[in-house]
Amino acid sequence: QVQLVESGGGLVLAGGSLTLTCAASGRTVSRHNLSWFRQVPGKSREFVAAIRPGGNIGYGDSVRGRFTISRINANSTLYLQMNNLKPEDSGVYYCAAGGGIQAVVARTYTYWGRGTQVTVSS
């Protein structure tokens, strides 16, 4: 069993920055992909970024070059540094663990946090 708790969301002006944190706990955390997804009402969850247990990293096309994912295995903490935020980055950001080979596909993840709201105003 893995537990995930997100924090760090809020309201920010376009062009600003935020850092999201996901506190992960559970004996098997270090074996899983840890990822960020986001969702807006009426749409499915969108892949943002993932980091595999071996350290390989991937980003969604809309955030590449602006967002940075990092992971500290010692305390099982996942971060998402978001720079140059745009209004279209607004949504609920979820931390997820699992994913297997298909790290970009939300339905392949087993564990989810409750999410943190990010709102970017223009």
Side-chain angles (χ1 to χ4, degrees):
Q1 192 75 9
V2 173
Q3 294 79 40
L4 305 169
V5 180
E6 305 95 335
S7 61
L11 174 64
V12 64
L13 292 174
S17 298
L18 277 176
T19 300
L20 303 184
T21 300
C22 174
S25 60
R27 291 187 301 110
T28 63
V29 166
S30 61
R31 304 176 192 173
H32 295 293
N33 299 330
L34 286 181
S35 302
W36 291 98
F37 287 80
R38 65 188 182 191
Q39 189 171 25
V40 297
K43 294 190 175 181
S44 58
R45 289 187 183 182
E46 176 190 7
F47 172 74
V48 174
I51 185 165
R52 294 190 181 277
N56 289 345
I57 289 173
Y59 294 97
D61 290 341
S62 63
V63 307
R64 189 176 293 112
R66 299 186 297 120
F67 290 13
T68 302
I69 189 172
S70 60
R71 173 178 186 168
I72 300 177
N73 277 337
N75 57 5
S76 297
T77 303
L78 182 71
Y79 300 97
L80 185 68
Q81 173 66 43
M82 306 186 293
N83 297 326
N84 191 22
L85 283 160
K86 305 175 181 180
E88 52 264 41
D89 293 319
S90 297
V92 178
Y93 281 69
Y94 295 92
C95 178
I101 295 175
Q102 296 179 293
V104 302
V105 180
R107 68 175 182 272
T108 67
Y109 283 77
T110 304
Y111 305 103
W112 292 88
R114 299 184 68 175
T116 185
Q117 176 71 45
V118 172
T119 303
V120 184
S121 64
S122 57

